[in-house]
Amino acid sequence: MTITPPAMSVFETLESEVRSYCRGWPALFDRAQGSRIFDEDGHDYLDFFSGAGALNYGHNNPVLKRALLDYLERDGITHSLDMSTTAKRAFLERFQDVVLRPRGMDHKVMFPGPTGTNAVEAALKLARKVKGRESVVSFTNAFHGMSLGALAVTGNSMKRAGAGVPLVHGTPMPFDNYLDGRVPDFLWFERLLEDQGSGLNQPAAVIVETVQGEGGINVARPEWLRGLADLCRRRDMLLIVDDIQMGCGRTGPFFSFEEAGIVPDIVTLSKSIGGYGMPMSLTLFRPELDIWEPGEHNGTFRGHNPAFVTATAALDTYWADGGSMEKQTLKRGEQAEAVLREICAEHPRSGAQYRGRGLVWGLEFTDPGRASRVCARAFELGLLLETSGPRGEVVKLLPALTITPEELDEGLRTLARSVRETA
């Protein structure tokens, strides 16, 4: 496919230098459907990016679009702050019936604002309020958002540097396998908690991703997560699971922590919870933690009713039957894993390794520049991929959960070709 870079003058002259994704994909995108996105000249691209996980059900999903159009055409309320609306009622009822009750969860639901970092800020704030302590423990290579509180529990040095002020009250600990299995799990963490000379204030909470997406597709073992949950119980720390990118079925089950058999005290959701790619986030917490005063934490865009509508439609369409979406995702994941295994076997000298769960996978190269070259070549061949990891050394695969086996095979073949042609 021959792609002519578009005239980007208005973006280059008017838009801030902070823009990033567009630099790797020099196209002027115009429309999208399912797993395909089309530029202004009609070239189509297979999307293995999915809005960084905001489009688990694909672009312009027809069922969700119909629900949204029907709602708008009858002049349904669009913006409502935290007022009660029929759209919010429908979402809360379906979320309770389809997601919470079947999993034995009685968590309260908070709408903290439209983005994932809003959900994290609310979680951190609530944990500190409940426990009366400031310190929160996070993990190496974690990513939890770009606002100051979320950055304080984020590991990436480049993102942290953008804060412009000291990032305080967060302490990093080694993520699962960070020390290559040479040290027993949580040995360092436990020792610091026990030692009154360690300098670690008693934490209010621990925040963790079960699969670190931006950190390089680092997958925590179920036994490690169970050990962490046990440690939090024993040491009077709240456990916060950030499921913003890995929730809503990305790893198979609706919540990514289900495989480990744990139930966190607080859970953050965003990205695909709205179903259609519209801004929406949730902070879930055990009922006994709901000590907020009315209005103590608020925001203008807590009542984005069109997102309630599409979120409800997504639950009804993909999760109400109790398992078909999970089974399909795991099956597609096996398909992806088989090809990634072949790619690594074909290129032993590159040091390539793969890892992932469900439909989130990473292909890591010893040379971090290789991952960028693979993504650039894939774009030329009509496939959208991004990199992740602290050095951008991982090619990240994040296709829609609704992708067909044929589309997934097409994208994986393009990936394999891109790896061969960048050797």
Side-chain angles (χ1 to χ4, degrees), residues 98-319:
V98 173
V99 176
L100 295 180
R101 278 182 180 153
R103 292 162 179 81
M105 296 173 64
D106 61 355
H107 289 51
K108 300 289 285 292
V109 179
M110 177 181 178
F111 301 97
T115 71
T117 201
N118 293 132
V120 169
E121 293 287 350
L124 299 176
K125 187 174 175 179
L126 180 60
R128 287 168 171 144
K129 179 179 173 67
V130 168
K131 292 299 183 183
R133 310 178 204 134
E134 298 174 349
S135 177
V136 173
V137 167
S138 58
F139 291 95
T140 49
N141 290 313
F143 178 78
H144 296 290
M146 298 296 279
S147 51
L148 292 181
L151 274 178
V153 290
T154 287
N156 186 283
S157 60
M158 183 273 288
K159 292 179 172 65
R160 289 174 62 89
V165 297
L167 296 171
V168 297
H169 309 310
T171 301
M173 291 290 167
F175 191 71
D176 189 17
N177 204 41
Y178 185 75
L179 299 173
D180 300 322
R182 292 172 295 175
V183 176
D185 294 342
F186 312 115
L187 176 66
W188 175 241
F189 195 175
E190 291 253 30
R191 184 72 180 108
L192 291 179
L193 290 170
E194 292 168 355
D195 185 359
Q196 294 187 16
S198 71
L200 175 64
N201 295 332
Q202 173 67 20
V206 174
I207 185 168
V208 67
E209 304 155 275
T210 66
V211 180
Q212 295 181 327
E214 297 301 310
I217 318 301
N218 304 312
V219 182
R221 293 167 297 140
E223 55 267 33
W224 187 85
L225 292 169
R226 288 191 289 270
L228 178 61
D230 177 67
L231 175 61
C232 287
R233 280 192 299 270
R234 289 188 287 105
R235 295 291 183 173
D236 189 32
M237 302 178 293
L238 296 178
L239 176 60
I240 306 170
V241 169
D242 180 341
D243 233 7
I244 287 165
Q245 188 169 84
M246 299 303 157
C248 302
R250 174 55 58 182
T251 67
F254 187 87
F255 293 114
S256 69
F257 53 79
E258 292 183 51
E259 181 185 23
I262 63 172
V263 180
D265 299 297
I266 303 177
V267 181
T268 60
L269 290 173
S270 186
K271 293 190 183 286
S272 279
I273 189 60
Y276 201 72
M278 288 185 291
M280 177 177 169
S281 70
L282 308 177
T283 304
L284 314 176
F285 39 83
R286 296 184 185 275
E288 62 270 23
L289 305 181
D290 193 9
I291 63 171
W292 293 115
E293 295 291 334
E296 188 175 10
H297 188 92
N298 57 34
T300 304
F301 294 99
R302 291 169 291 154
H304 190 32
N305 290 265
F308 296 155
V309 171
T310 53
T312 303
L315 294 177
D316 285 337
T317 304
Y318 296 106
W319 297 101

Side-chain angles (χ1 to χ4, degrees), residues 338-370:
V339 174
L340 291 171
R341 186 185 305 116
E342 292 174 0
I343 291 173
C344 291
E346 185 180 342
H347 302 274
R349 297 180 63 184
S350 70
Q353 298 181 356
Y354 71 92
R355 52 186 177 266
R357 278 177 54 196
L359 272 176
V360 52
W361 290 91
L363 181 62
E364 181 181 6
F365 294 95
T366 308
D367 171 16
R370 180 77 176 276

Side-chain angles (χ1 to χ4, degrees), residues 365 367-377 387 391-393 395:
F365 294 95
D367 171 16
R370 180 77 176 276
S372 297
R373 295 194 298 273
V374 167
C375 290
R377 181 56 181 149
T387 62
R391 299 180 299 143
E393 72 275 22
V395 176

